[in-house]
Amino acid sequence: ELDRSLGLGLNPALEAMKALHDDGLLSIVQGVGYPNPNRSHFASMDIWETARLDGKGEGWIGRYFDNTCGGTPIPEGAIHIGRSAPLAMMGTIQKPVSFESADLFRWLGDDVHEALRDPYQAINRAGPVGSPAPGSQRDFLMRTALDAQVASDRIRAAVRKQPLVRYPQSDIARQLQVVGALIRDGLQTRVFYVSKGGFDTHANQPGGHANILRQVAEALRAFNDDLRAQGNQERVLTMVFSEFGRRVQQNASQGTDHGTAAPMILMGPMVRPGIVGHHPNLADLDLGDLRFGLDFRGVYAAILEQWMGVAPEKVLGG
């Protein structure tokens, strides 16, 4: 139980997360949302990832890079573990490195025919060929190929090392294990992004929901333990978010439908521990939904200003 006076508690499946809370490493931000919430997964994710209520434009993390990279992309600045890069990390200048598996983050010509290997290596590792005009397409392609090759070699080497702690066998834990390996290796990466699906619990919510909550909690604890063992715990802030919460009342299928306000979770020694904000009042609902008390862009603004060291106005536009 987090606070007896408020009657708030964690789902029993979040036992691993309670240990983080008791160590002062968890900030649970209550009632987060935005005005006139959108219940579409796609539209709401666009809103959260662009930090714009119309969901249009570059991602908020991409804009952070665009405002801090001095006009030149940082090759390993943003890394996403997954199949397709999230909108949040897409900027005008900066684009993320995205891979589902470190083993697949390589040139795949060898798989087509081994005779392609030596010519490719000779071309790609020769460095810039000739004197391409700065800013030309040829210059861009050469730099991109060289950066990708260097990043591929280093990332795959980092992930092959034995982790300092044991991670669970869930998909979210495997993603965070890769992130932990890359942090340990000292990549010049400012933002990592991982994701976990399965929370759209329209039916039979109790059992399945508890299972994925447990996976997330145990993965976060392992990731924290890994960072601590590395001596990197103080350097990493972890933010957990979803595109919306759930309806308060269950539906006819023992599930809940798309809702509005929900908690966000921040993890690390630098967070303000415990409950932040106010838990939505179950006696004061908005047509059956929780009323949000804190705009998610306020959380972004605090992270940008107090952790990432950039004026939020430059990224969020207000």
Side-chain angles (χ1 to χ4, degrees):
E1 187 172 304
L2 298 179
D3 188 324
R4 293 182 185 276
S5 65
L6 294 176
L8 296 178
L10 291 172
N11 187 301
L14 295 175
E15 183 179 356
M17 193 174 286
K18 181 182 184 299
L20 296 168
H21 169 270
D22 292 347
D23 289 340
L25 297 171
L26 219 59
S27 184
I28 300 176
V29 189
Q30 293 280 61
V32 183
Y34 57 90
N36 302 314
N38 192 304
R39 297 176 190 274
S40 159
H41 286 291
F42 304 104
S44 192
M45 276 301 293
D46 286 350
I47 289 169
W48 275 81
E49 298 213 314
T50 61
R52 290 172 52 107
L53 296 187
D54 61 6
K56 298 183 183 302
E58 299 82 17
W60 75 281
I61 297 171
R63 294 200 301 274
Y64 155 74
F65 278 104
D66 287 350
N67 280 278
T68 57
C69 69
T72 302
I74 304 169
E76 301 163 0
I79 293 181
H80 165 247
I81 313 300
R83 189 165 295 179
S84 57
L87 175 58
M89 304 182 89
M90 303 297 288
T92 301
I93 300 170
Q94 181 75 25
K95 309 294 181 187
V97 171
S98 184
F99 55 87
E100 193 168 15
S101 162
D103 290 335
L104 295 177
F105 184 48
R106 58 183 174 84
W107 184 66
L108 299 178
D110 292 359
D111 297 349
V112 176
H113 197 283
E114 62 180 14
L116 295 175
R117 182 186 306 118
D118 291 342
Y120 170 79
Q121 297 292 352
I123 294 170
N124 200 49
R125 297 185 186 275
V129 179
S131 301
S136 66
Q137 289 184 339
R138 183 182 174 199
D139 176 58
F140 172 78
L141 287 171
M142 281 187 178
R143 284 190 292 106
T144 301
L146 291 170
D147 289 342
Q149 186 66 57
V150 171
S152 170
D153 291 346
R154 184 165 183 188
I155 286 171
R156 287 185 292 120
V159 172
R160 280 196 293 266
K161 295 178 182 176
Q162 185 71 20
L164 299 179
V165 303
R166 184 172 183 176
Y167 280 83
Q169 293 303 303
S170 65
D171 57 346
I172 186 65
R174 285 190 288 270
Q175 292 176 60
L176 286 174
Q177 180 176 333
V178 171
V179 174
L182 301 182
I183 292 172
R184 178 184 174 191
D185 200 59
L187 266 70
Q188 297 299 304
T189 307
R190 298 182 189 175
V191 182
F192 294 94
Y193 189 114
V194 303
S195 58
K196 166 71 179 162
F199 287 90
D200 197 22
T201 50
H202 289 283
N204 301 318
Q205 178 170 306
H209 187 238
N211 183 47
I212 53 179
L213 287 178
R214 183 177 297 107
Q215 290 178 24
V216 171
E218 291 178 350
L220 285 173
R221 183 171 65 179
F223 182 56
N224 173 76
D225 292 347
D226 190 5
L227 294 174
R228 182 169 51 198
Q230 297 175 22
N232 283 323
Q233 190 183 32
E234 301 280 346
R235 301 180 58 234
V236 182
L237 167 67
T238 302
M239 182 188 86
V240 183
F241 77 100
S242 183
E243 71 267 40
F244 41 58
R246 311 300 295 182
R247 296 280 285 176
V248 174
Q249 187 171 351
Q250 75 174 39
N251 60 29
S253 303
Q254 290 191 308
T256 54
D257 299 323
H258 299 176
T260 53
M264 291 178 70
I265 298 167
L266 304 177
M267 182 181 79
M270 73 296 294
V271 305
R272 194 167 94 201
I275 300 293
V276 175
H278 300 287
H279 187 70
N281 187 347
L282 295 179
D284 181 24
L285 300 178
D286 181 11
L287 299 176
D289 273 318
L290 300 175
R291 295 184 185 275
F292 85 96
L294 189 66
D295 193 300
F296 74 96
R297 293 166 293 182
V299 181
Y300 289 0
I303 291 172
L304 287 165
E305 183 172 34
Q306 299 174 31
W307 182 248
M308 301 171 85
V310 63
E313 296 80 6
K314 292 183 176 181
V315 177
L316 303 178

